[in-house]
Amino acid sequence: MYLYQRLRDLREDKDQKQEAIACVLKITRQQYQLYESGKRELPMHHFIALAKYYNVSLDYLAGLVDIPKKLF
């Protein structure tokens, strides 16, 4: 699974809109939409922030493993 698909799935599982996640990252919805669509690479600091927000491992967020490992 690709990172951008995992981002969308996690967001939809929490019933969040792109605007809400963009607010967490302190970016615009348009910028976040580019990450989620795979048109722009997600910077590492946003990658880490999203892993913390969703409470999943970086490996899960990146699509390297299919079982979400909790951070805490």
Side-chain angles (χ1 to χ4, degrees):
M1 175 177 284
Y2 292 104
L3 168 65
Y4 56 87
Q5 182 63 46
R6 181 75 32 105
L7 289 174
R8 182 177 179 175
D9 290 345
L10 284 167
R11 177 178 59 79
E12 289 177 345
D13 287 347
K14 288 203 174 251
D15 294 323
Q16 296 286 320
K17 296 199 179 283
Q18 287 181 341
E19 292 86 3
I21 305 305
C23 186
V24 168
L25 298 177
K26 298 181 176 123
I27 60 174
T28 66
R29 186 204 56 82
Q30 291 83 1
Q31 287 175 300
Y32 180 75
Q33 189 276 330
L34 292 173
Y35 298 145
E36 199 172 276
S37 66
K39 294 179 181 173
R40 181 176 253 181
E41 190 172 326
L42 186 68
M44 184 56 74
H45 64 282
H46 289 327
F47 191 72
I48 293 168
L50 289 173
K52 287 180 181 179
Y53 178 76
Y54 291 121
N55 194 26
V56 297
S57 70
L58 293 172
D59 288 343
Y60 179 76
L61 188 58
L64 299 174
V65 297
D66 291 328
I67 299 171
K69 205 176 204 185
K70 304 295 181 192
L71 293 178
F72 307 103

mmCIF file of all heavy atoms in Angstrom, residues 1-25:
data_model
loop_
_atom_site.group_PDB
_atom_site.id
_atom_site.type_symbol
_atom_site.label_atom_id
_atom_site.label_comp_id
_atom_site.label_asym_id
_atom_site.label_seq_id
_atom_site.Cartn_x
_atom_site.Cartn_y
_atom_site.Cartn_z
ATOM 1 N N MET A 1 0.845 -1.175 0.000
ATOM 2 C CA MET A 1 0.000 0.000 0.000
ATOM 3 C C MET A 1 0.891 1.239 0.000
ATOM 4 O O MET A 1 1.899 1.286 0.673
ATOM 5 C CB MET A 1 -0.896 -0.004 1.232
ATOM 6 C CG MET A 1 -1.726 1.240 1.359
ATOM 7 S SD MET A 1 -2.843 1.230 2.764
ATOM 8 C CE MET A 1 -4.100 0.151 2.156
ATOM 9 N N TYR A 2 0.487 2.216 -0.736
ATOM 10 C CA TYR A 2 1.252 3.440 -0.826
ATOM 11 C C TYR A 2 0.919 4.375 0.332
ATOM 12 O O TYR A 2 -0.182 4.343 0.869
ATOM 13 C CB TYR A 2 0.971 4.150 -2.151
ATOM 14 C CG TYR A 2 1.499 3.395 -3.332
ATOM 15 C CD1 TYR A 2 0.658 2.680 -4.164
ATOM 16 C CD2 TYR A 2 2.866 3.393 -3.614
ATOM 17 C CE1 TYR A 2 1.146 1.983 -5.258
ATOM 18 C CE2 TYR A 2 3.366 2.704 -4.699
ATOM 19 C CZ TYR A 2 2.501 2.000 -5.516
ATOM 20 O OH TYR A 2 2.990 1.312 -6.587
ATOM 21 N N LEU A 3 1.889 5.219 0.648
ATOM 22 C CA LEU A 3 1.730 6.172 1.747
ATOM 23 C C LEU A 3 0.474 7.013 1.578
ATOM 24 O O LEU A 3 -0.299 7.179 2.514
ATOM 25 C CB LEU A 3 2.968 7.079 1.832
ATOM 26 C CG LEU A 3 2.854 8.309 2.719
ATOM 27 C CD1 LEU A 3 2.692 7.906 4.172
ATOM 28 C CD2 LEU A 3 4.055 9.195 2.552
ATOM 29 N N TYR A 4 0.254 7.536 0.386
ATOM 30 C CA TYR A 4 -0.892 8.431 0.209
ATOM 31 C C TYR A 4 -2.221 7.722 0.426
ATOM 32 O O TYR A 4 -3.164 8.309 0.954
ATOM 33 C CB TYR A 4 -0.853 9.144 -1.146
ATOM 34 C CG TYR A 4 -0.765 8.263 -2.363
ATOM 35 C CD1 TYR A 4 -1.907 7.761 -2.951
ATOM 36 C CD2 TYR A 4 0.474 7.959 -2.934
ATOM 37 C CE1 TYR A 4 -1.842 6.966 -4.081
ATOM 38 C CE2 TYR A 4 0.546 7.172 -4.066
ATOM 39 C CZ TYR A 4 -0.609 6.668 -4.635
ATOM 40 O OH TYR A 4 -0.525 5.880 -5.752
ATOM 41 N N GLN A 5 -2.297 6.451 0.077
ATOM 42 C CA GLN A 5 -3.531 5.695 0.330
ATOM 43 C C GLN A 5 -3.716 5.465 1.824
ATOM 44 O O GLN A 5 -4.820 5.568 2.347
ATOM 45 C CB GLN A 5 -3.516 4.363 -0.416
ATOM 46 C CG GLN A 5 -4.786 3.569 -0.239
ATOM 47 C CD GLN A 5 -6.006 4.273 -0.801
ATOM 48 O OE1 GLN A 5 -5.975 4.786 -1.909
ATOM 49 N NE2 GLN A 5 -7.079 4.308 -0.045
ATOM 50 N N ARG A 6 -2.623 5.184 2.514
ATOM 51 C CA ARG A 6 -2.684 4.976 3.964
ATOM 52 C C ARG A 6 -3.107 6.268 4.652
ATOM 53 O O ARG A 6 -3.894 6.239 5.591
ATOM 54 C CB ARG A 6 -1.327 4.485 4.454
ATOM 55 C CG ARG A 6 -1.173 4.184 5.913
ATOM 56 C CD ARG A 6 -1.766 2.920 6.485
ATOM 57 N NE ARG A 6 -1.876 1.719 5.746
ATOM 58 C CZ ARG A 6 -1.136 0.628 5.870
ATOM 59 N NH1 ARG A 6 -0.120 0.602 6.699
ATOM 60 N NH2 ARG A 6 -1.395 -0.452 5.190
ATOM 61 N N LEU A 7 -2.600 7.414 4.187
ATOM 62 C CA LEU A 7 -2.995 8.703 4.766
ATOM 63 C C LEU A 7 -4.499 8.907 4.646
ATOM 64 O O LEU A 7 -5.165 9.297 5.601
ATOM 65 C CB LEU A 7 -2.283 9.852 4.053
ATOM 66 C CG LEU A 7 -0.796 10.029 4.286
ATOM 67 C CD1 LEU A 7 -0.247 11.134 3.386
ATOM 68 C CD2 LEU A 7 -0.510 10.326 5.735
ATOM 69 N N ARG A 8 -5.020 8.629 3.482
ATOM 70 C CA ARG A 8 -6.457 8.808 3.260
ATOM 71 C C ARG A 8 -7.271 7.831 4.112
ATOM 72 O O ARG A 8 -8.261 8.224 4.733
ATOM 73 C CB ARG A 8 -6.780 8.602 1.779
ATOM 74 C CG ARG A 8 -8.230 8.821 1.474
ATOM 75 C CD ARG A 8 -8.512 8.691 0.011
ATOM 76 N NE ARG A 8 -9.937 8.881 -0.220
ATOM 77 C CZ ARG A 8 -10.490 8.914 -1.401
ATOM 78 N NH1 ARG A 8 -9.746 8.804 -2.480
ATOM 79 N NH2 ARG A 8 -11.772 9.083 -1.527
ATOM 80 N N ASP A 9 -6.847 6.585 4.144
ATOM 81 C CA ASP A 9 -7.574 5.586 4.937
ATOM 82 C C ASP A 9 -7.604 5.952 6.416
ATOM 83 O O ASP A 9 -8.646 5.846 7.067
ATOM 84 C CB ASP A 9 -6.955 4.200 4.753
ATOM 85 C CG ASP A 9 -7.184 3.628 3.365
ATOM 86 O OD1 ASP A 9 -8.045 4.153 2.622
ATOM 87 O OD2 ASP A 9 -6.491 2.649 3.015
ATOM 88 N N LEU A 10 -6.465 6.368 6.954
ATOM 89 C CA LEU A 10 -6.413 6.753 8.365
ATOM 90 C C LEU A 10 -7.313 7.953 8.637
ATOM 91 O O LEU A 10 -8.043 7.982 9.632
ATOM 92 C CB LEU A 10 -4.975 7.072 8.783
ATOM 93 C CG LEU A 10 -4.061 5.869 8.988
ATOM 94 C CD1 LEU A 10 -2.603 6.312 9.074
ATOM 95 C CD2 LEU A 10 -4.455 5.093 10.237
ATOM 96 N N ARG A 11 -7.276 8.926 7.758
ATOM 97 C CA ARG A 11 -8.118 10.111 7.925
ATOM 98 C C ARG A 11 -9.592 9.746 7.879
ATOM 99 O O ARG A 11 -10.379 10.162 8.739
ATOM 100 C CB ARG A 11 -7.804 11.138 6.828
ATOM 101 C CG ARG A 11 -8.683 12.378 6.895
ATOM 102 C CD ARG A 11 -8.332 13.390 5.832
ATOM 103 N NE ARG A 11 -8.446 12.885 4.477
ATOM 104 C CZ ARG A 11 -9.588 12.746 3.810
ATOM 105 N NH1 ARG A 11 -10.738 13.047 4.375
ATOM 106 N NH2 ARG A 11 -9.588 12.306 2.567
ATOM 107 N N GLU A 12 -9.974 8.931 6.913
ATOM 108 C CA GLU A 12 -11.378 8.543 6.783
ATOM 109 C C GLU A 12 -11.830 7.661 7.942
ATOM 110 O O GLU A 12 -12.975 7.758 8.379
ATOM 111 C CB GLU A 12 -11.606 7.845 5.447
ATOM 112 C CG GLU A 12 -11.515 8.802 4.273
ATOM 113 C CD GLU A 12 -11.665 8.129 2.928
ATOM 114 O OE1 GLU A 12 -11.571 6.883 2.845
ATOM 115 O OE2 GLU A 12 -11.850 8.858 1.931
ATOM 116 N N ASP A 13 -10.941 6.808 8.456
ATOM 117 C CA ASP A 13 -11.283 5.973 9.613
ATOM 118 C C ASP A 13 -11.611 6.821 10.836
ATOM 119 O O ASP A 13 -12.405 6.418 11.686
ATOM 120 C CB ASP A 13 -10.147 5.014 9.956
ATOM 121 C CG ASP A 13 -10.016 3.887 8.952
ATOM 122 O OD1 ASP A 13 -10.936 3.690 8.128
ATOM 123 O OD2 ASP A 13 -8.971 3.192 8.983
ATOM 124 N N LYS A 14 -11.005 7.984 10.939
ATOM 125 C CA LYS A 14 -11.275 8.899 12.059
ATOM 126 C C LYS A 14 -12.363 9.916 11.717
ATOM 127 O O LYS A 14 -12.613 10.836 12.493
ATOM 128 C CB LYS A 14 -10.002 9.626 12.463
ATOM 129 C CG LYS A 14 -9.015 8.741 13.176
ATOM 130 C CD LYS A 14 -8.091 9.594 14.011
ATOM 131 C CE LYS A 14 -7.191 8.712 14.833
ATOM 132 N NZ LYS A 14 -7.522 8.741 16.232
ATOM 133 N N ASP A 15 -13.002 9.747 10.555
ATOM 134 C CA ASP A 15 -14.055 10.668 10.101
ATOM 135 C C ASP A 15 -13.587 12.118 10.116
ATOM 136 O O ASP A 15 -14.303 13.013 10.559
ATOM 137 C CB ASP A 15 -15.324 10.508 10.951
ATOM 138 C CG ASP A 15 -15.963 9.145 10.768
ATOM 139 O OD1 ASP A 15 -15.953 8.629 9.642
ATOM 140 O OD2 ASP A 15 -16.471 8.586 11.767
ATOM 141 N N GLN A 16 -12.380 12.336 9.628
ATOM 142 C CA GLN A 16 -11.808 13.673 9.558
ATOM 143 C C GLN A 16 -11.811 14.173 8.116
ATOM 144 O O GLN A 16 -11.729 13.393 7.189
ATOM 145 C CB GLN A 16 -10.356 13.665 10.060
ATOM 146 C CG GLN A 16 -10.202 13.310 11.514
ATOM 147 C CD GLN A 16 -10.644 14.434 12.425
ATOM 148 O OE1 GLN A 16 -10.386 15.600 12.156
ATOM 149 N NE2 GLN A 16 -11.320 14.089 13.494
ATOM 150 N N LYS A 17 -11.885 15.457 7.961
ATOM 151 C CA LYS A 17 -11.767 16.086 6.651
ATOM 152 C C LYS A 17 -10.322 16.517 6.448
ATOM 153 O O LYS A 17 -9.558 16.650 7.407
ATOM 154 C CB LYS A 17 -12.696 17.287 6.554
ATOM 155 C CG LYS A 17 -14.165 16.909 6.659
ATOM 156 C CD LYS A 17 -15.021 18.006 6.100
ATOM 157 C CE LYS A 17 -16.483 17.644 6.181
ATOM 158 N NZ LYS A 17 -16.909 16.721 5.178
ATOM 159 N N GLN A 18 -9.942 16.731 5.203
ATOM 160 C CA GLN A 18 -8.582 17.165 4.906
ATOM 161 C C GLN A 18 -8.235 18.455 5.636
ATOM 162 O O GLN A 18 -7.101 18.630 6.066
ATOM 163 C CB GLN A 18 -8.393 17.346 3.400
ATOM 164 C CG GLN A 18 -8.331 16.054 2.640
ATOM 165 C CD GLN A 18 -8.116 16.257 1.153
ATOM 166 O OE1 GLN A 18 -8.344 17.340 0.617
ATOM 167 N NE2 GLN A 18 -7.669 15.210 0.493
ATOM 168 N N GLU A 19 -9.206 19.333 5.802
ATOM 169 C CA GLU A 19 -8.972 20.597 6.495
ATOM 170 C C GLU A 19 -8.496 20.377 7.920
ATOM 171 O O GLU A 19 -7.620 21.093 8.411
ATOM 172 C CB GLU A 19 -10.239 21.460 6.522
ATOM 173 C CG GLU A 19 -10.669 21.986 5.187
ATOM 174 C CD GLU A 19 -11.552 21.008 4.398
ATOM 175 O OE1 GLU A 19 -11.887 19.919 4.921
ATOM 176 O OE2 GLU A 19 -11.879 21.330 3.259
ATOM 177 N N ALA A 20 -9.072 19.395 8.601
ATOM 178 C CA ALA A 20 -8.705 19.117 9.990
ATOM 179 C C ALA A 20 -7.265 18.622 10.092
ATOM 180 O O ALA A 20 -6.519 19.036 10.985
ATOM 181 C CB ALA A 20 -9.661 18.093 10.598
ATOM 182 N N ILE A 21 -6.868 17.749 9.178
ATOM 183 C CA ILE A 21 -5.503 17.223 9.205
ATOM 184 C C ILE A 21 -4.524 18.314 8.808
ATOM 185 O O ILE A 21 -3.440 18.430 9.397
ATOM 186 C CB ILE A 21 -5.364 15.993 8.288
ATOM 187 C CG1 ILE A 21 -6.414 14.929 8.667
ATOM 188 C CG2 ILE A 21 -3.956 15.424 8.366
ATOM 189 C CD1 ILE A 21 -6.400 14.481 10.112
ATOM 190 N N ALA A 22 -4.885 19.137 7.855
ATOM 191 C CA ALA A 22 -4.039 20.263 7.463
ATOM 192 C C ALA A 22 -3.819 21.191 8.651
ATOM 193 O O ALA A 22 -2.712 21.704 8.856
ATOM 194 C CB ALA A 22 -4.661 21.013 6.297
ATOM 195 N N CYS A 23 -4.843 21.395 9.444
ATOM 196 C CA CYS A 23 -4.733 22.236 10.632
ATOM 197 C C CYS A 23 -3.744 21.630 11.634
ATOM 198 O O CYS A 23 -2.941 22.357 12.234
ATOM 199 C CB CYS A 23 -6.109 22.398 11.267
ATOM 200 S SG CYS A 23 -6.134 23.559 12.642
ATOM 201 N N VAL A 24 -3.782 20.332 11.813
ATOM 202 C CA VAL A 24 -2.836 19.647 12.699
ATOM 203 C C VAL A 24 -1.405 19.899 12.230
ATOM 204 O O VAL A 24 -0.502 20.128 13.045
ATOM 205 C CB VAL A 24 -3.122 18.123 12.744
ATOM 206 C CG1 VAL A 24 -1.999 17.365 13.420
ATOM 207 C CG2 VAL A 24 -4.449 17.853 13.426
ATOM 208 N N LEU A 25 -1.200 19.866 10.917
ATOM 209 C CA LEU A 25 0.134 20.051 10.344
ATOM 210 C C LEU A 25 0.495 21.527 10.139
ATOM 211 O O LEU A 25 1.620 21.840 9.742
ATOM 212 C CB LEU A 25 0.228 19.317 9.001
ATOM 213 C CG LEU A 25 0.037 17.808 9.048
ATOM 214 C CD1 LEU A 25 0.075 17.231 7.647
ATOM 215 C CD2 LEU A 25 1.076 17.156 9.937
#
